[in-house]
Amino acid sequence: MSLPIRTAIVGTGNRAQLFTEGLAKRDGYDVVALCDPNSVRMAFHNRMLLAAGRRTAHQWPPARFDEMLRVERIELLVVTSVDATHDRYVESALRAGVRVISEKPLTTDAVKAQSILDTVRETGGSLSVAYNYRFNPVHRRVRSLLAEGAIGDVHSVHFEWLLDVSHGADYFRRWHRDKANSGGLMVHKASHHFDLVNWWLGAEPQLVYGRGQLAFYGPGRRHGYAREYSRAHGAASALDDPFALHLADNATLRELYLDAEVEDGYYRDRNVFAPGVTIEDDMALLVSYNTGATMTYHLTAYSPAEGYRVMFNGSRGRLELNVEESTWTTPHQRVTSAKGAVHGDLAAPTAGQTSITLRPLWSPPVDHTVEHDHAGHGGADARVLAALLDSSDGPDNADIADARQAALALVTGLAANRSFETGQPVRTADVLKL
Ligand SMILES: NC(=O)c1ccc[n+]([C@@H]2O[C@H](COP(=O)([O-])OP(=O)(O)OC[C@H]3O[C@@H](n4cnc5c(N)ncnc54)[C@H](O)[C@@H]3O)[C@@H](O)[C@H]2O)c1
């Protein structure tokens, strides 16, 4: 029997839990090293390894990353660090001959994305990007209906994604609020949606025109709900603020962030109306594709409810996907479950209906709804993990995003950001050489 694959995880925050747990469960992997600027968060992940009956991993600071790859003889690297830091680790690992699984987005700007693509080409290395939404059974049903020609040729897509004032607000509490870290929601969040459309249609984006605004969050816009404080912990005024996240109430949030902040000053619970927000919360796009299809897309981050609607218009009919992740949101982020529910990890208690409706021309609608569990990104997390870790030739492996597909998912958002700045339509070919 072959030896377990020597694995390292860089960026040991919330998302990394999926990988720590998933790798610890699999005999074929040994997590031998963790890398993060914060030793408290690395220690949290080591406790997870111990709880799963595995050995603890050595803890390494980012400045010694290359040494870590060498000394620990790393064969697989999992990248779950802040978005803007992905490129540095992905590239060094590929140059060292290490297989890489990275969280989305590929990176946050065009220069870094081009550099990753060039490194993949030069090294011939293996980079998979965890675009988990492709593995949600609801999204897979949509793809198979479109591929079967259920609505003929797809001419246009109308796509609206709503983030509610719990989950949506969360991007304005921490590092995502600075575009330099996250690329803004067009990159950090919408790249999931752009990836789905590329994958659903088998299409590549060519031209993007958009308008983005910070309409709701940010300084001076408290709408009569919120209170004055810079971060919620320790602020009496945050107690009755519906937007406040109370880290001390939740064991995971406390251990991962509150107990760790002394080391790096990473405050997870900033006031969403405090200064420092450089991302948009309301974004509208028009995108055209190389198949001739167009998409109108809208993302709102301050909605009363969470979910999405995607309408496909084709030569033989129309396909409608409607998902209600939350039908309304309670005030106060008193999240007390084992895993923080703020970030899509768990089903919202107010989740509603999912439906997939095919409307063929000249005949009654046909229901194609499949079960949607709303948790772990609609069941996608467990499936993407299985595809990434369990076999190299399983039925789902073809759906793992490679570097080029991840760049195609990213380029619509990068072009959108450029269009927001210039007010002009942007050709994706002028953003990235794919
Ligand atoms: N696919 C999905 O559905 C999904 C969901 C959530 C997050 N993510 C992705 O996972 C990644 C992590 O997000 P998160 O929610 O866990 O954030 P987080 O803030 O909980 O964790 C980020 C970690 O990165 C570390 N870090 C900061 N600077 C670093 C550096 N220079 N080098 C190494 N590590 C550094 C932080 O200390 C922290 O431990 C992001 O890329 C995010 O886009 C993906």
Side-chain angles (χ1 to χ4, degrees):
M1 219 182 98
S2 54
L3 290 170
I5 296 168
R6 297 178 66 82
T7 304
I9 302 175
V10 59
T12 53
N14 179 62
R15 185 62 177 170
Q17 293 175 85
L18 175 75
F19 290 92
T20 301
E21 199 176 84
L23 288 160
K25 255 190 226 160
R26 290 168 164 86
D27 291 340
Y29 294 87
D30 199 0
V31 180
V32 294
L34 303 173
C35 177
D36 197 286
N38 194 297
S39 71
V40 178
R41 275 193 285 281
M42 287 194 279
F44 175 96
H45 282 264
N46 262 329
R47 288 197 296 281
M48 287 182 73
L49 289 173
L50 280 178
R54 307 297 292 250
R55 283 182 304 179
T56 55
H58 294 135
Q59 299 184 181
W60 292 80
R64 294 176 64 197
F65 177 78
D66 294 331
E67 185 189 344
M68 175 192 84
L69 292 183
R70 208 174 47 251
V71 171
E72 304 280 6
R73 291 176 286 118
I74 299 302
E75 298 167 279
L76 170 66
L77 175 72
V78 174
V79 180
T80 43
S81 54
V82 167
D83 300 348
T85 67
H86 290 180
D87 61 311
R88 184 251 177 275
Y89 302 114
V90 167
E91 290 187 25
S92 295
L94 289 173
R95 291 200 187 285
V98 173
R99 180 188 161 209
V100 182
I101 295 173
S102 176
E103 258 305 341
K104 50 51 65 177
L106 184 62
T107 180
T108 47
D109 68 38
V111 173
K112 288 176 172 180
Q114 198 65 59
S115 179
I116 293 176
L117 286 173
D118 293 346
T119 307
V120 170
R121 277 176 203 134
E122 279 163 31
T123 60
S126 164
L127 170 60
S128 309
V129 180
Y131 270 110
N132 48 338
Y133 286 27
R134 293 180 177 202
F135 294 85
N136 177 335
V138 173
H139 301 157
R140 298 183 82 74
R141 172 60 64 93
V142 168
R143 177 161 144 112
S144 57
L145 285 165
L146 294 175
E148 286 159 15
I151 61 166
D153 297 330
V154 182
H155 298 311
S156 63
V157 183
H158 185 56
F159 194 151
E160 177 186 40
W161 196 287
L162 303 171
L163 295 166
D164 65 25
V165 279
S166 164
H167 183 190
D170 212 41
Y171 298 109
F172 297 81
R173 295 189 184 109
R174 52 181 188 146
W175 54 263
H176 311 70
R177 71 205 309 265
D178 183 351
K179 222 175 208 184
N181 289 329
S182 66
L185 293 180
M186 286 287 98
V187 166
H188 177 82
K189 188 70 196 172
S191 65
H192 272 302
H193 316 151
F194 302 146
D195 179 62
L196 280 177
V197 175
N198 297 346
W199 177 72
W200 275 328
L201 267 51
E204 299 188 2
Q206 285 187 322
L207 191 72
V208 179
Y209 177 67
R211 283 282 187 274
Q213 50 176 328
L214 180 63
F216 186 80
Y217 302 107
R221 291 202 184 87
R222 290 186 282 123
H223 314 286
Y225 306 117
R227 304 284 176 264
E228 202 78 55
Y229 57 90
S230 72
R231 51 91 52 105
H233 184 69
S237 54
L239 293 175
D240 65 345
D241 180 340
F243 293 96
L245 178 69
H246 299 284
L247 298 175
D249 290 352
N250 173 284
T252 304
L253 292 177
R254 191 176 58 236
E255 289 175 40
L256 267 182
Y257 305 106
L258 194 58
D259 295 351
E261 65 188 34
V262 285
E263 283 198 10
D264 55 11
Y266 169 10
Y267 299 131
R268 173 72 179 76
D269 58 347
R270 290 184 191 277
N271 188 333
V272 297
F273 300 104
V277 178
T278 57
I279 64 173
E280 299 83 9
D281 57 20
D282 190 306
M283 293 135 277
L285 299 191
L286 178 62
V287 183
S288 60
Y289 291 85
N290 63 346
T291 57
T294 58
M295 171 172 71
T296 43
Y297 173 85
H298 199 278
L299 176 62
T300 310
Y302 55 92
S303 170
E306 178 141 328
Y308 46 106
R309 303 185 186 99
V310 198
M311 311 290 149
F312 301 87
N313 299 304
S315 54
R316 296 178 54 204
R318 178 175 158 96
L319 186 66
E320 300 177 350
L321 168 64
N322 193 356
V323 178
E324 295 177 323
E325 299 277 21
S326 78
T327 49
W328 66 286
T329 307
T330 52
H332 301 284
Q333 287 307 308
R334 295 195 178 277
V335 181
T336 51
S337 60
K339 276 191 173 184
V342 274
H343 242 268
D345 301 325
L346 299 173
T350 63
Q353 301 295 311
T354 291
S355 63
I356 300 175
T357 311
L358 175 64
R359 298 183 187 280
L361 288 176
W362 321 119
S363 58
V366 187
D367 181 25
H368 282 276
T369 304
V370 291
E371 201 184 327
H372 188 202
D373 64 12
H374 295 278
H377 299 102
D381 283 348
R383 290 182 182 87
V384 74
L385 214 55
L388 286 165
L389 300 178
D390 289 343
S391 100
S392 54
D393 56 2
D396 289 350
N397 280 69
D399 290 321
I400 295 171
D402 62 15
R404 186 169 185 278
Q405 290 168 356
L408 280 164
L410 175 67
V411 76
T412 305
L414 294 179
N417 279 340
R418 198 175 284 183
S419 184
F420 296 167
E421 282 165 21
T422 62
Q424 301 298 315
V426 175
R427 282 170 5 115
T428 55
D430 293 336
V431 177
L432 281 184
K433 303 281 166 266
L434 284 155

